[in-house]
Amino acid sequence: MRSHGSCIGVSVRSPAASSVFRCSLSNSSASSDNATCGAPVWMGKGLTCVCFKRKGAFERIFFNLTPQQEERLRRLKHRMRICFDGSKPEHQEALRALWHATYPSQELHSLVSDQWKEMGWQGRDPSTDFRGAGFISLENLLFFAKTFSTSFQRLLKKQGGKRAAWEYPFAVAGVNITFMIMQMLDLDALKPRTFVRAVFLQMLSENEWAFDLLYCVAFVVMDKQWLERNATYMEFNDVLRSTRSQLEKELLMDDVLRIEDMPSYNLLS
């Protein structure tokens, strides 16, 4: 780290809330009537400046993205740009894969079925719930189900703790968590505004699946705070905001260099 006047130059190391909204912007890559998404605006490459507040004072952090970070960030942004399109076979297959990972012993009768309500979708057609977060929110749920199946099933079945009579819908909560993380990381901003993004980009150079791992951590943190508050459905947005604050706090810890170093990662199983 070297100081340059009122700025600090940081070399990149390679070690180690809000409800879902309907997309109001057109997207040329999703012309089908079945496409649903939010449309982020993408950051350019090259030198980036992140302003953040720490210890009561504003500082400016400059860093250059490594080629690996640029490529992984490009791929992540591409994933974030993909709207869910129920007419695409690969998106249909992803939905089926999610069902089989969630209920391996139950047959799915149709992609439009009352069965989806069991998972916490709002209606018979889960494709209508992806607005605001797009296809990556489905990928996140599928990653969670396959990578941390025990935690996934525990949260799905609302096991453990004193549960409210009016619980959060599991799948829709998952879409909201994806959207919250996208906002928190600020990857769609033309100008960087948070140090959290700079930290995340270093983690992304360590592990291309950093976003998906962070999603899994966020889900278990949200459920933990839900239980601690003895929250009900009407308090979901408040819980989501406190979840974001907890994630930001852990990401900025000095000894957290990977998602796996976050204290709340230990909640996963």
Side-chain angles (χ1 to χ4, degrees), residues 70-80 208:
E70 286 191 348
E71 176 57 23
R72 290 187 172 180
L73 180 58
R74 184 193 66 78
R75 289 201 292 261
L76 177 56
K77 286 179 178 181
H78 175 71
R79 290 177 63 196
M80 291 169 58
E208 187 169 8

Side-chain angles (χ1 to χ4, degrees), residues 36 79 82-84 90-91 94 133-140:
T36 57
R79 290 177 63 196
I82 299 175
C83 301
F84 183 85
E90 58 269 32
H91 291 196
F135 184 63
I136 192 173
S137 58
L138 173 54
E139 292 181 315
N140 289 158

